[in-house]
Coordinates of all heavy atoms in Angstrom, one line a residue:
E1 N -2.2 -21.0 -0.7 CA -3.1 -20.8 -1.9 C -3.0 -19.4 -2.5 O -3.0 -19.3 -3.7 CB -4.5 -21.1 -1.4 CG -5.5 -21.2 -2.5 CD -6.9 -21.7 -2.1 OE1 -7.1 -21.8 -0.9 OE2 -7.7 -21.9 -3.0
S2 N -2.8 -18.4 -1.6 CA -2.6 -17.1 -2.1 C -1.3 -17.0 -3.0 O -1.3 -16.4 -4.1 CB -2.5 -16.1 -0.9 OG -2.1 -14.8 -1.3
A3 N -0.2 -17.6 -2.5 CA 1.0 -17.6 -3.3 C 0.8 -18.3 -4.6 O 1.3 -17.9 -5.7 CB 2.1 -18.3 -2.5
C4 N 0.1 -19.4 -4.6 CA -0.1 -20.2 -5.9 C -0.9 -19.3 -6.9 O -0.6 -19.3 -8.1 CB -0.9 -21.5 -5.6 SG 0.0 -22.7 -4.7
L5 N -1.9 -18.6 -6.4 CA -2.7 -17.7 -7.3 C -1.9 -16.6 -7.9 O -2.0 -16.2 -9.0 CB -3.9 -17.1 -6.5 CG -5.0 -18.1 -6.2 CD1 -6.0 -17.6 -5.1 CD2 -5.8 -18.6 -7.4
L6 N -1.0 -16.1 -7.1 CA -0.1 -15.0 -7.6 C 0.8 -15.6 -8.7 O 1.0 -15.0 -9.7 CB 0.8 -14.5 -6.4 CG 1.8 -13.4 -6.8 CD1 1.1 -12.2 -7.4 CD2 2.6 -13.0 -5.6
H7 N 1.3 -16.8 -8.5 CA 2.2 -17.4 -9.5 C 1.5 -17.7 -10.8 O 2.1 -17.6 -11.9 CB 2.7 -18.8 -9.0 CG 3.9 -18.7 -8.1 ND1 5.1 -18.0 -8.4 CD2 4.1 -19.2 -6.8 CE1 5.9 -18.1 -7.4 NE2 5.4 -18.8 -6.4
V8 N 0.2 -18.0 -10.8 CA -0.5 -18.3 -12.0 C -1.2 -17.1 -12.6 O -2.1 -17.2 -13.4 CB -1.5 -19.5 -11.8 CG1 -0.7 -20.7 -11.4 CG2 -2.6 -19.1 -10.8
G9 N -0.9 -15.9 -12.0 CA -1.4 -14.6 -12.6 C -2.8 -14.2 -12.1 O -3.5 -13.4 -12.8
R10 N -3.3 -14.7 -11.0 CA -4.6 -14.3 -10.4 C -4.4 -13.6 -9.1 O -4.7 -14.0 -8.1 CB -5.4 -15.6 -10.2 CG -5.8 -16.3 -11.6 CD -6.2 -17.7 -11.4 NE -7.4 -17.9 -10.6 CZ -7.9 -19.1 -10.3 NH1 -7.3 -20.2 -10.7 NH2 -8.9 -19.2 -9.5
A11 N -3.8 -12.4 -9.3 CA -3.3 -11.6 -8.2 C -4.5 -11.1 -7.3 O -4.4 -11.0 -6.1 CB -2.5 -10.4 -8.6
E12 N -5.6 -10.7 -7.9 CA -6.8 -10.2 -7.2 C -7.3 -11.2 -6.2 O -7.5 -11.0 -5.0 CB -7.9 -9.7 -8.1 CG -7.6 -8.5 -8.9 CD -6.9 -8.9 -10.2 OE1 -6.5 -10.1 -10.4 OE2 -6.7 -8.0 -11.1
E13 N -7.4 -12.5 -6.7 CA -7.9 -13.6 -5.8 C -6.8 -13.9 -4.7 O -7.1 -14.2 -3.6 CB -8.1 -14.8 -6.6 CG -9.3 -14.7 -7.6 CD -9.4 -16.0 -8.4 OE1 -9.8 -17.0 -7.8 OE2 -9.2 -16.0 -9.6
G14 N -5.5 -13.8 -5.1 CA -4.5 -14.0 -4.2 C -4.5 -13.0 -3.0 O -4.3 -13.4 -1.9
A15 N -4.8 -11.7 -3.3 CA -4.9 -10.7 -2.3 C -6.0 -11.0 -1.3 O -5.9 -10.9 -0.1 CB -5.0 -9.3 -2.9
R16 N -7.2 -11.4 -1.9 CA -8.3 -11.6 -1.1 C -8.1 -12.8 -0.1 O -8.4 -12.7 1.1 CB -9.6 -11.9 -2.0 CG -10.8 -12.2 -1.2 CD -12.0 -12.5 -2.1 NE -11.7 -13.5 -3.1 CZ -11.9 -14.8 -2.8 NH1 -12.3 -15.2 -1.6 NH2 -11.6 -15.7 -3.7
L17 N -7.5 -13.9 -0.7 CA -7.3 -15.1 0.2 C -6.2 -14.8 1.2 O -6.2 -15.3 2.3 CB -6.9 -16.3 -0.7 CG -8.1 -17.0 -1.4 CD1 -7.6 -18.1 -2.3 CD2 -9.1 -17.5 -0.4
G18 N -5.2 -14.0 0.8 CA -4.1 -13.7 1.7 C -4.5 -12.9 2.9 O -4.1 -13.1 4.0
E19 N -5.5 -12.0 2.6 CA -6.0 -11.2 3.7 C -6.7 -12.1 4.7 O -6.6 -11.9 5.9 CB -7.0 -10.1 3.2 CG -6.4 -9.1 2.2 CD -5.8 -7.9 3.0 OE1 -5.7 -7.9 4.2 OE2 -5.4 -6.9 2.3
L20 N -7.5 -13.0 4.2 CA -8.2 -14.0 5.1 C -7.2 -14.8 5.9 O -7.4 -15.1 7.0 CB -9.1 -14.8 4.3 CG -10.3 -14.1 3.6 CD1 -11.1 -15.1 2.7 CD2 -11.3 -13.6 4.7
A21 N -6.1 -15.2 5.2 CA -5.1 -16.1 5.8 C -4.5 -15.4 7.0 O -4.1 -16.0 8.0 CB -4.1 -16.5 4.8
L22 N -4.2 -14.1 6.9 CA -3.6 -13.4 8.0 C -4.3 -13.5 9.3 O -3.7 -13.5 10.4 CB -3.4 -11.9 7.6 CG -2.4 -11.6 6.6 CD1 -2.4 -10.1 6.1 CD2 -1.0 -11.8 7.1
A23 N -5.7 -13.6 9.2 CA -6.5 -13.7 10.4 C -6.4 -15.1 11.0 O -6.7 -15.2 12.2 CB -7.9 -13.3 10.1
G24 N -5.9 -16.1 10.2 CA -5.9 -17.4 10.7 C -4.6 -18.0 11.2 O -4.5 -19.1 11.6
I25 N -3.5 -17.2 11.0 CA -2.2 -17.6 11.4 C -1.9 -17.2 12.8 O -2.1 -16.0 13.2 CB -1.1 -17.0 10.4 CG1 -1.3 -17.5 9.0 CG2 0.3 -17.4 10.9 CD1 -0.4 -16.9 8.0
D26 N -1.4 -18.1 13.6 CA -1.1 -17.8 15.0 C -0.1 -16.7 15.2 O 0.8 -16.6 14.4 CB -0.6 -19.1 15.7 CG -0.6 -18.9 17.2 OD1 0.4 -18.3 17.7 OD2 -1.5 -19.4 17.9
D27 N -0.3 -15.8 16.2 CA 0.5 -14.6 16.4 C 2.0 -15.0 16.6 O 2.9 -14.2 16.3 CB 0.1 -13.8 17.6 CG -1.4 -13.4 17.5 OD1 -1.9 -13.5 16.4 OD2 -1.9 -13.0 18.5
A28 N 2.2 -16.2 17.1 CA 3.6 -16.6 17.5 C 4.5 -16.9 16.2 O 5.7 -17.0 16.3 CB 3.6 -17.9 18.4
F29 N 3.8 -17.1 15.1 CA 4.6 -17.4 13.9 C 4.8 -16.1 13.1 O 4.2 -15.9 12.1 CB 3.8 -18.5 13.1 CG 3.6 -19.8 13.8 CD1 2.3 -20.2 14.1 CD2 4.7 -20.5 14.3 CE1 2.1 -21.4 14.9 CE2 4.5 -21.6 15.1 CZ 3.2 -22.1 15.4
V30 N 5.7 -15.3 13.6 CA 5.9 -14.0 13.1 C 6.4 -14.0 11.6 O 5.9 -13.2 10.8 CB 6.9 -13.2 14.0 CG1 7.2 -11.8 13.4 CG2 6.4 -13.2 15.4
R31 N 7.3 -14.9 11.3 CA 7.8 -15.0 10.0 C 6.7 -15.4 9.0 O 6.6 -14.8 7.9 CB 8.9 -16.1 9.9 CG 9.4 -16.4 8.5 CD 10.6 -17.4 8.5 NE 10.3 -18.4 9.5 CZ 11.2 -18.8 10.4 NH1 12.4 -18.3 10.5 NH2 10.8 -19.8 11.3
N32 N 5.8 -16.3 9.3 CA 4.7 -16.6 8.5 C 3.8 -15.5 8.2 O 3.3 -15.2 7.1 CB 3.9 -17.8 9.0 CG 4.7 -19.1 9.1 OD1 5.8 -19.2 8.5 ND2 4.2 -20.1 9.7

């Protein structure tokens, strides 16, 4: 969702959602 917001020009929202996403991705998925 963060990537989609960046593509459509809503970078501030993308940054906020991306920060939240980082807390929810399992540590083992280093590339993600």
Side-chain angles (χ1 to χ4, degrees):
E1 188 170 6
S2 170
C4 292
L5 289 167
L6 180 61
H7 278 307
V8 299
R10 294 160 61 183
E12 293 88 349
E13 293 177 69
R16 179 178 58 82
L17 282 178
E19 297 273 11
L20 293 174
L22 286 171
I25 298 174
D26 191 280
D27 305 347
F29 303 117
V30 179
R31 175 177 40 231
N32 293 352

